[in-house]
């Protein structure tokens, strides 16, 4: 066989914000440039090799799928410690929470809890049961304890 020059490399196939066919590397190694891949999306790159053998073009391509996972959100919730008297205002502040991926989608919060109810009595004390009833209600934009 008369083998001519072997050409190898990597190129983009598909993915958010990429140009299909654009070369990533002209060697057997590939390093995707920093901040090229967006969290939450899937990309496909392709290894390729071409050569001429006795005048015939031979080519090989192997697709590789890359899934970029989203990082967990970092919740930082500030509020009072301990018991809150019935009817007292309760302010929870999560404004310092962050998204490590800097997603353009706004973060939202859902607050809730289940009250612990005292039921019956025994020699060792009252039994405690968790209720499915909410323990907070929204009044004019503020959360207050139910009571």
């Amino acid at each position: 066989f008369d083998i001519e020059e072997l050409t190898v490399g990597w190129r983009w196939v598909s993915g958010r914000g990429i140009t299909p066919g654009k070369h990533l590397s002209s060697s057997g190694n590939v390093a995707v440039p920093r901040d090229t891949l967006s969290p939450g999306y899937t990309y496909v790159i392709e290894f390729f090799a071409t050569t001429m053998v006795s005048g015939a073009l031979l080519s090989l391509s192997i697709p590789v799928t890359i899934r970029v996972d989203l990082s967990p959100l970092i919740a930082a919730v500030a509020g009072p410690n301990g018991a809150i008297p019935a009817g007292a205002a309760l302010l929870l502040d999560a404004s310092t929470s962050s998204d490590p991926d800097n997603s353009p989608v706004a973060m939202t919060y859902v607050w809730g809890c289940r009250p612990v109810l005292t039921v019956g009595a025994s020699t060792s004390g009252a039994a405690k049961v968790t209720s499915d009833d909410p323990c907070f209600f929204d009044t004019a934009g503020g959360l207050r304890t139910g009571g």
Side-chain angles (χ1 to χ4, degrees), residues 123-137:
T123 57
S124 62
K128 296 198 177 194
V129 178
T130 301
S131 167
D132 286 330
D133 295 329
C135 60
F136 295 115
F137 59 90

Side-chain angles (χ1 to χ4, degrees), residues 45-139:
I45 60 175
E46 179 178 68
F47 173 78
F48 65 90
T50 58
T51 190
M52 295 288 288
V53 176
S54 300
L57 177 65
L58 295 178
S59 64
L60 165 78
S61 63
I62 302 170
V64 175
T65 300
I66 303 169
R67 187 183 85 210
V68 184
D69 291 333
L70 292 168
S71 302
L73 298 175
I74 299 171
V77 182
N81 291 322
I84 305 294
L90 171 65
L91 177 64
L92 300 175
D93 180 3
S95 62
T96 60
S97 296
S98 62
D99 178 359
D101 299 322
N102 294 318
S103 173
V105 179
M107 289 189 290
T108 59
Y109 306 94
V110 177
W111 306 108
C113 72
R114 293 186 176 158
V116 176
L117 305 175
T118 302
V119 179
S122 69
T123 57
S124 62
K128 296 198 177 194
V129 178
T130 301
S131 167
D132 286 330
D133 295 329
C135 60
F136 295 115
F137 59 90
D138 190 346
T139 305

Side-chain angles (χ1 to χ4, degrees), residues 17-39:
I18 61 98
T19 304
K22 183 177 178 182
H23 285 265
L24 277 166
S25 170
S26 295
S27 73
N29 299 319
V30 65
V32 177
R34 182 182 181 95
D35 298 327
T36 299
L37 308 179
S38 296

